[in-house]
Amino acid sequence: MILSMTVFCGFHFSWGFWAHKRINRLAVFRLPYEMQFFYKKNIDYLTENATNPDRRRYAVIGEAERHYIDLDTYGDSALQMLPASWPDAVRKMGEDSLRKHGIVPWYVQTAAYQLTEAFKTKDAKRILRISADLGHYIADAHVPLHTTRNYNGQLTRQEGIHAFWESRLPELFAADYELWIGEAEYVERIQEKIWRTVEASHLASDSVFLFEKQLSASFDPAKKYSYELRNNVLTRSYSREFSAKYHQMLNGQVERRMKASIKMVGDVWYTCWVNAGQPDLGDTVKFSFDENDKKDEAAEQQSWIRKLLHIRTEADD
């Protein structure tokens, strides 16, 4: 575990580990009682495993493209020309091309279908694992920088803006966010909802870049960054003063996207349960991950780390 913390602190994760965990955790409290008793019993699992897709993305082939979509690659009419369903998109664009530029709106639909099927069979383990992952992908779709090929400001000399917006700002200011939304609501068309979400995220991306550039032009360069000890590593970050002014310029944007993430995660979990016929989850109340499950999960995470670092096992020659 020490190794994994050391490894991952150097990468920029979507929403940041803290925010992803918070989004999944708060979504649980929006569920109706018929679901909540099961989800609340397993809330620690749903919280801690909200970050699994990010841990996998650098080690598992096919994972990275599930987190984003570069809409600007397709031109100004991307939302009009891209088919909303995956089969139609593959027929029109080709699977390799789609995966190259990100597939998050299509993969959210796939994961929602998988969760519905897991509810139908009352497979508690699968329900929890898919719910945790699905919460992550939905949250990623709410991040403006997950909808553009300039995802880290590398095309506009604003490198580092990705982690700044989705990690640094929530860590500094989310304690003051009002994140309670109310009870979960049924989503009539998940396909339509996820595409509207991606569109809203993309429309917000212009201000993400513009305000940072404007503030940088007027801010003392010597005070823009500071050094803080994080996980026993001295890390260069945007200073608290610069962060506060940028956060103020965004005028609640980060809070709105985080709040919308919590709402949609809870709504989609609930919708999948309803679409499965509202199965009685009473049979799952005694479920808990046994020692074999825990060992398998630990082995899987170690496998991700080995693949990431190209570390061979003891048995390798």
Side-chain angles (χ1 to χ4, degrees):
M1 182 56 69
I2 294 175
L3 173 61
S4 65
M5 289 302 295
T6 303
V7 171
F8 292 126
C9 69
F11 293 98
H12 295 160
F13 294 113
S14 46
W15 268 123
F17 272 20
W18 179 88
H20 267 302
K21 291 179 179 181
R22 191 68 176 165
I23 289 166
N24 268 14
R25 191 173 192 87
L26 290 178
V28 169
F29 294 97
R30 302 192 57 243
L31 300 174
Y33 171 76
E34 293 87 348
M35 295 179 70
Q36 192 178 110
F37 76 91
F38 171 66
Y39 273 73
K40 202 168 183 180
K41 177 178 181 288
N42 294 284
I43 194 169
D44 289 339
Y45 176 90
L46 292 163
T47 300
E48 292 305 313
N49 289 277
T51 58
N52 277 354
D54 270 337
R55 291 190 174 101
R56 294 194 301 259
R57 65 184 301 173
Y58 298 100
V60 177
I61 294 174
E63 176 61 46
E65 63 253 33
R66 298 172 180 175
H67 297 247
Y68 68 94
I69 181 169
D70 295 337
L71 286 177
D72 43 9
T73 298
Y74 299 99
D76 294 338
S77 59
L79 291 164
Q80 287 71 48
M81 60 89 66
L82 288 172
S85 75
W86 178 247
D88 290 343
V90 169
R91 279 191 290 270
K92 180 176 181 179
M93 311 294 295
E95 185 169 345
D96 289 345
S97 177
L98 291 170
R99 291 187 181 279
K100 180 180 179 181
H101 302 300
I103 62 171
V104 65
W106 295 293
Y107 195 74
V108 164
Q109 298 174 54
T110 297
Y113 171 79
Q114 292 172 344
L115 181 56
T116 301
E117 293 302 301
F119 276 126
K120 287 179 179 178
T121 59
K122 299 184 183 180
D123 186 335
K125 187 188 303 184
R126 189 163 170 77
I127 290 170
L128 291 172
R129 288 180 171 172
I130 297 174
S131 293
D133 283 359
L134 180 55
H136 184 106
Y137 300 127
I138 289 173
D140 277 358
H142 284 78
V143 177
L145 292 165
H146 279 250
T147 66
T148 171
R149 57 180 178 165
N150 190 27
Y151 58 91
N152 196 31
Q154 75 278 10
L155 304 179
T156 51
R157 303 184 67 181
Q158 294 173 283
E159 290 86 350
I161 196 170
H162 198 128
F164 183 31
W165 189 96
E166 64 186 13
S167 295
R168 180 68 166 164
L169 295 183
E171 287 174 3
L172 288 176
F173 306 112
D176 297 322
Y177 292 173
E178 175 52 61
L179 298 176
W180 173 246
I181 301 101
E183 295 180 356
E185 298 176 326
Y186 183 79
V187 180
E188 290 292 341
R189 287 177 55 83
I190 292 176
Q191 181 182 97
E192 182 180 325
K193 177 65 175 177
I194 187 59
W195 279 103
R196 287 205 311 267
T197 296
V198 167
E199 179 180 18
S201 295
H202 192 57
L203 289 172
S205 64
D206 284 352
S207 57
V208 172
F209 295 113
L210 177 62
F211 292 154
E212 195 279 339
K213 190 173 286 291
Q214 289 178 342
L215 182 57
S216 294
S218 63
F219 204 82
D220 182 350
K223 296 181 179 179
K224 183 175 179 179
Y225 298 99
S226 62
Y227 287 87
E228 297 181 4
L229 198 63
R230 299 169 66 86
N231 298 318
N232 294 319
V233 177
L234 193 62
T235 305
R236 181 175 181 257
S237 302
Y238 289 88
S239 68
R240 290 176 180 267
E241 182 182 358
F242 186 86
S243 300
K245 290 188 176 181
Y246 181 56
H247 191 255
Q248 184 178 18
M249 291 176 74
L250 289 172
N251 193 31
Q253 183 191 78
V254 180
E255 179 179 359
R256 288 192 299 274
R257 299 314 290 159
M258 190 172 179
K259 190 171 184 177
S261 298
I262 296 167
K263 174 171 172 51
M264 187 172 174
V265 171
D267 288 351
V268 172
W269 285 349
Y270 171 63
T271 299
C272 291
W273 176 71
V274 172
N275 288 345
Q278 302 183 44
D280 182 0
L281 299 179
D283 296 341
T284 67
V285 71
K286 295 181 180 179
F287 169 81
S288 62
F289 287 96
D290 59 29
E291 288 304 312
N292 288 331
D293 292 326
K294 293 175 182 177
K295 288 178 181 178
D296 289 344
E297 193 165 307
E300 184 178 18
Q301 293 197 14
Q302 287 301 314
S303 175
W304 301 339
I305 295 170
R306 285 196 298 271
K307 289 178 181 177
L308 173 62
L309 298 179
H310 305 292
I311 298 174
R312 68 187 180 96
T313 63
E314 292 292 334
D316 290 337
D317 293 324

